[in-house]
Amino acid sequence: MKDTKLVANNKKARHDYFIDDTYEVGLVLTGTEIKSVRQGKVSIKESYARITGGEVFIYGMNISPYEQGNRFNVDPLRPRKLLMHRKEIDKLIGLTKEKGATLVPLKVYINRDGRAKMELAVARGKKLYDKRQAIAKRDADMKMRQAKRR
């Protein structure tokens, strides 16, 4: 993913979920929304995606209103449509029917063509003991790297 500008990153998603599969999806935005995205005024921390009526929508994604947008600004938390191929949507429908599977955004970025894209993941929630194991493994790896340096 060279030549891309990272706008928002959901670091907590990799901590809270096991990531099974990822997809690059497009976002349907209005004129003032894309200007806010280019300024980096996006938050995807509490957002999730849902399939309704054969289309994928993102909920809880906050795009702050564009300062010079005045009356053209829209609701910052409105549901936004995600652009995917029909085969991918059909595959997602099957994957999300499984118990515990959900659609979580990992990052929002601007690609080299100037289009806003999102990395969407099919994820399964981690239990508390899984999170503790991940933290312990990360700490052990860090101690190993420090020991190698010495």
Side-chain angles (χ1 to χ4, degrees), residues 5 7 12 20 22 26-27 35 37 40 43 54 56 74 82-83 86-87 93 109 112 118 127 129 132 142 145-146:
K5 177 187 172 194
V7 178
K12 194 86 170 142
D20 292 337
T22 61
L27 292 162
K35 291 178 181 185
V37 169
S43 174
V56 185
V74 293
L82 300 179
L83 303 172
R86 171 60 44 201
K87 286 183 180 179
I93 290 171
Y109 55 93
R112 63 180 172 266
M118 176 185 286
K127 303 282 189 219
Y129 58 85
R132 287 183 187 146
M142 185 176 66
R145 284 194 303 270
Q146 287 176 352

Side-chain angles (χ1 to χ4, degrees), residues 7-127:
V7 178
N9 197 1
N10 192 355
K11 295 177 186 177
K12 194 86 170 142
R14 294 198 187 273
H15 178 72
D16 290 342
Y17 298 98
F18 291 112
I19 306 299
D20 292 337
D21 208 1
T22 61
Y23 297 91
E24 181 184 60
V25 299
L27 292 162
V28 176
L29 302 172
T30 64
T32 57
E33 284 179 324
I34 189 64
K35 291 178 181 185
S36 287
V37 169
R38 287 195 177 115
Q39 289 179 346
K41 297 182 177 180
V42 179
S43 174
I44 56 172
K45 284 186 174 76
E46 293 94 28
S47 61
Y48 61 95
R50 187 179 285 161
I51 302 170
T52 52
E55 296 178 330
V56 185
F57 290 91
I58 185 89
Y59 296 92
M61 180 173 146
N62 187 356
I63 299 178
S64 298
Y66 184 60
E67 291 173 10
Q68 288 83 30
N70 58 40
R71 69 172 189 242
F72 298 107
N73 283 331
V74 293
D75 179 25
L77 291 172
R78 75 177 180 92
R80 292 166 180 90
K81 186 176 176 181
L82 300 179
L83 303 172
M84 296 181 78
H85 292 284
R86 171 60 44 201
K87 286 183 180 179
E88 290 176 331
I89 294 173
D90 292 341
K91 186 176 177 182
L92 283 181
I93 290 171
L95 291 173
T96 55
K97 295 275 189 213
E98 296 175 16
K99 188 173 185 287
T102 186
L103 298 174
V104 179
L106 297 179
K107 57 184 154 185
V108 176
Y109 55 93
I110 305 289
N111 70 0
R112 63 180 172 266
D113 297 331
R115 299 182 190 278
K117 299 286 184 175
M118 176 185 286
E119 189 172 310
L120 188 69
V122 177
R124 290 175 290 115
K126 285 185 180 179
K127 303 282 189 219

